[in-house]
Structures are given as structure tokens and as C-alpha cells.
Amino acid sequence: MSIFAEQVFNPSGITSTFDEKAFSKKETIFIWIDILGFKDKLKDVENYDELAFLLDYFQELFKQKEGWYRTTVISDGIVLELNPNREQWNFENVKACFDDIKRKQLEFILEKKYVIRGAIVVGTSRLKKESDRNYISNGLSFAYELESKGINWPIIGTNSNFFNRMNAMYQDVGRQQPFKDLFKKTLTPNGQDVYFLDVYSDLEGEERSIVEKIIQDQLRKHQEEKDRPVYNKYIWLYKCMHNYKGSKAELDAELEEVVL
């Protein structure tokens, strides 16, 4: 998307002297991403094809960046493993990945009309061949747990623990918190800090209108449900969109009363 500047770097491949045991101890960044509202759809096998289509589309976006990510579709989500070859990356390399993730997140939202959420963590994994169905990784475990319990909103974010660990991993001289300006901060319902990659605040024109329509359509769709976790997430997102740049997008009176 035009609002995010494209960055380029060329990670090299795994060398012939690769040591699997050493590799499994090297930490990198993992992100678990799923499509908001699709977990319940898994209860009906008739929805499998739609979910597979959406996840395949999203996964293909990342496969275009060979050496940046390893991607694996698991159930209703995707796990991204940054720097899969464990090269000697610096902050700028990781920043290029995060900027790329924001571009792909926004492209998916605008193209498929679904919002996504995800959790960013630090962890390790066993070397996985592309044909190997075994995926052994504490990074995946950490990311899935954080996304399901700690990322309450439709964002790709992390908690204070993993945010501080990432900053420590990629500190440059005189730069104690290199990711400070890359992430925005919000709060969970119980007041815990969450740091997230913001794809919403700079939206303008048609892109902004598309996202606002998605939000309003989903609010109407879920407002009659007895248990409304998805509805509440869209309320949070609409409040963000309403506050950014003094937006005054119109809602039905009944929705405006609830949201604002």
C-alpha cells in the first residue's frame, strides 16, 4: 500500500555448515495471525473452503519475500517466522519485515473485507523442511497463547514482556528502544499494555471508507448475538477510526449510541 514505504534487503540462504542443534536454540520473532470471527466458523465443515481460500491468499503474499519469512497454515491461522535462516539481522532488517506485514495486512483487509489480528513473540523452532508436517516451536506456542488471551483487539501486537525482549535483541548503539516509534500502545480491558503495528491511523479516501464500511457491516451483523466478543472488538476498532484525524463518519443512530 502507498502509505507504507517499501524497504528492500537480501537475506542469504542457510550455509552448508548449518548446525540444526545450534539453530534450534537461536531466537527469532514469531507472529500468529488469524481472521477475526472465523474460529466459530470452524464448527461447520462447510466453511473450510472459504477459510482455506483466504489463508492461502494471505500466505502467498508472504511467500513473495523469500528469506524474510517461513509461513505455515495451521487450523484457522498462519504462523510467520521472521528470519527463518537465522542470519545476522539488525533492527533495519526487522523493521522492513514489520513494514511489509503492515502492507500485507492492509492489502488483505481491503481486498477480502475481513480484519485480522495477531500476536508477536520471541521464541525458537526446530528446523522444518517444507515437506515436513512436524512443526515444533515454543515461538508458535507463545504466539498462539498471547493472541488468544492477550490481544483483545483486531490488531497485530505484543505485550510488554515480548516488546522489551525485541528491543533488547536489536538494540543499536545509543538506541535503547529501537521499536518504540514503530509500534503504538493501547490497553487490554484489564489495563495491561499492548503494543501494535498500526495500519489504521493514516488511512484516507477510498481506503478509509472501505475499512469504515467493514466495521459498520460487522457491527450490524453481530449486534444481536448474546455473547459478543467479535462485536466488542469492532466497537474498539471503530472508536479508533473515529478518533483518528477527527473522523466523523456517520453511523446509524442505534450504532452511534452504543459505540460512542
Side-chain angles (χ1 to χ4, degrees):
M1 292 297 129
S2 59
I3 63 172
F4 302 125
E6 182 78 33
Q7 297 190 41
V8 177
F9 70 98
N10 297 302
S12 59
I14 298 178
T15 67
S16 59
T17 58
F18 178 78
D19 183 339
E20 182 177 340
K21 290 185 178 180
F23 175 92
S24 66
K25 297 178 182 179
K26 292 182 179 179
E27 292 187 322
T28 189
I29 295 170
F30 292 79
I31 307 175
W32 171 263
I33 298 174
D34 65 18
I35 304 169
L36 182 58
F38 262 79
K39 188 170 294 184
D40 286 341
K41 284 195 172 188
L42 287 180
K43 297 174 183 176
D44 186 347
V45 297
E46 297 300 322
N47 295 320
Y48 281 12
D49 287 346
E50 180 185 6
L51 180 58
F53 172 78
L54 292 170
L55 292 176
D56 286 347
Y57 173 88
F58 198 44
Q59 185 181 31
E60 284 299 318
L61 295 179
F62 292 101
K63 285 185 175 180
Q64 298 167 11
K65 298 287 190 179
E66 184 177 358
W68 292 37
Y69 316 98
R70 178 178 290 117
T71 68
T72 306
V73 173
I74 302 176
S75 188
D76 64 328
I78 294 176
V79 58
L80 300 179
E81 186 176 343
L82 273 60
N83 190 8
N85 299 335
R86 304 299 194 272
E87 299 297 330
Q88 295 298 313
W89 280 14
N90 59 27
F91 165 72
E92 293 300 328
N93 300 143
V94 182
K95 180 181 183 298
C97 280
F98 281 144
D99 287 341
D100 187 59
I101 289 168
K102 290 197 294 184
R103 282 191 296 273
K104 289 170 169 50
Q105 179 185 2
L106 182 57
E107 179 178 338
F108 181 85
I109 293 170
L110 297 176
E111 179 68 24
K112 301 303 178 185
K113 308 300 187 291
Y114 287 105
V115 301
I116 62 178
R117 65 179 187 139
I120 304 169
V121 302
V122 174
T124 61
S125 71
R126 170 183 174 271
L127 176 63
K128 172 183 145 338
K129 298 177 182 178
E130 292 306 317
S131 59
D132 188 355
R133 293 174 64 89
N134 296 324
Y135 195 98
I136 301 172
S137 168
N138 65 15
L140 169 59
S141 177
F142 295 153
Y144 180 80
E145 182 177 15
L146 178 60
E147 191 271 349
S148 60
K149 297 180 180 178
I151 304 300
N152 305 91
W153 316 127
I155 55 177
I156 298 177
T158 190
N159 61 15
S160 294
N161 174 43
F162 289 115
F163 182 72
N164 291 334
R165 288 180 64 180
M166 286 193 302
N167 278 298
M169 288 172 65
Y170 294 101
Q171 280 181 358
D172 293 332
V173 177
R175 197 176 195 178
Q176 294 301 307
Q177 283 196 314
F179 292 103
K180 182 179 179 181
D181 295 331
L182 190 61
F183 284 74
K184 285 200 171 185
K185 187 166 76 169
T186 186
L187 297 175
T188 65
N190 61 1
Q192 300 298 310
D193 289 341
V194 173
Y195 300 84
F196 69 101
L197 299 172
D198 175 32
V199 297
Y200 300 110
S201 64
D202 291 326
L203 291 181
E204 296 179 337
E206 182 180 2
E207 293 180 343
R208 184 183 182 89
S209 296
I210 291 172
V211 173
E212 288 181 337
K213 186 177 187 306
I214 292 170
I215 295 170
Q216 293 182 52
D217 289 346
Q218 291 296 324
L219 284 172
R220 296 186 185 99
K221 178 180 177 180
H222 293 283
Q223 70 181 137
E224 300 302 326
E225 296 173 356
K226 183 177 180 180
D227 183 24
R228 301 195 293 181
V230 174
Y231 181 81
N232 292 333
K233 291 175 175 62
Y234 278 105
I235 285 180
W236 180 89
L237 183 54
Y238 186 83
K239 287 180 178 178
C240 286
M241 295 295 292
H242 184 87
N243 291 330
Y244 287 148
K245 296 186 176 180
S247 171
K248 299 297 181 184
E250 292 189 12
L251 283 170
D252 289 347
E254 60 189 276
L255 290 179
E256 188 167 1
E257 183 177 351
V258 173
V259 174
L260 304 177

